[in-house]
């Protein structure tokens, strides 16, 4: 929950209350994900950044991206029985990138979705067998 809030609170405050936009918004979204994935306190070996990514996109979209990503994870893992966690995560990230690109019509958000997707997918590469 703390990792989720680490992404959600600063991004939501900056986006909804301070009205940050453009390149600054992209940086605001990427900062918690990068900070979690490559923590300087852990010799730049952080976590996989999935929870903080859910938080970041909850702060921006409130419910749309987290519900879509959660549904994709649930369907791929439980319904389709995909055993590889990395595959499930990458499919959820692709869904997130598609939703943000098609729904929000914002270059800053599209870039942020692409960058967060690449960071999280990169952190899950060992789960993909690479």
């Amino acid at each position: 929950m703390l990792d989720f809030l680490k992404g959600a609170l600063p991004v939501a405050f900056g986006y909804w209350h301070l009205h940050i936009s453009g390149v600054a918004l992209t940086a605001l979204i990427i900062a918690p994900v990068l900070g979690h994935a490559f923590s300087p306190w852990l010799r730049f070996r952080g976590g996989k950044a999935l929870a903080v990514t859910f938080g970041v996109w909850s702060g921006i979209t409130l419910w749309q991206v987290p519900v879509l990503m959660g549904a994709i994870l649930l369907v791929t893992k439980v319904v389709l029985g995909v055993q590889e966690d990395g595959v499930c995560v990458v499919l959820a990230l692709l869904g997130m990138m598609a939703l943000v690109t098609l729904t929000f019509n914002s270059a800053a958000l599209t870039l942020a979705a692409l960058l967060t997707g690449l960071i999280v997918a990169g952190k899950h590469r060992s789960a993909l067998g690479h």
Side-chain angles (χ1 to χ4, degrees):
M1 187 61 150
L2 292 175
D3 289 337
F4 174 87
L5 292 173
K6 175 175 30 180
L9 294 178
V11 170
F13 186 77
Y15 183 70
W16 295 103
H17 297 289
L18 299 178
H19 308 288
I20 294 174
S21 62
V23 175
L25 178 60
T26 301
L28 178 66
I29 292 169
I30 295 303
V33 178
L34 276 175
H36 185 86
F38 304 103
S39 174
W41 310 115
L42 299 172
R43 296 185 180 142
F44 298 97
R45 295 182 193 165
K48 292 190 176 182
L50 192 57
V52 74
T53 298
F54 267 91
V56 163
W57 289 104
S58 294
I60 294 290
T61 69
L62 302 180
W63 61 271
Q64 293 158 310
V65 168
V67 167
L68 175 71
M69 288 180 71
I72 292 171
L73 288 170
L74 181 68
V75 168
T76 56
K77 194 71 172 169
V78 176
V79 177
L80 299 177
V82 175
Q83 297 299 316
E84 297 81 17
D85 291 340
V87 172
C88 298
V89 168
V90 168
L91 291 173
L93 293 168
L94 289 171
M96 177 264 300
M97 288 185 269
L99 178 69
V100 169
T101 300
L102 297 172
T103 303
F104 294 96
N105 195 27
S106 164
L109 291 179
T110 298
L111 179 59
L114 175 65
L115 292 173
T116 55
L118 288 172
I119 293 165
V120 176
K123 293 300 283 187
H124 282 84
R125 71 183 176 277
S126 64
L128 292 167
H130 293 87

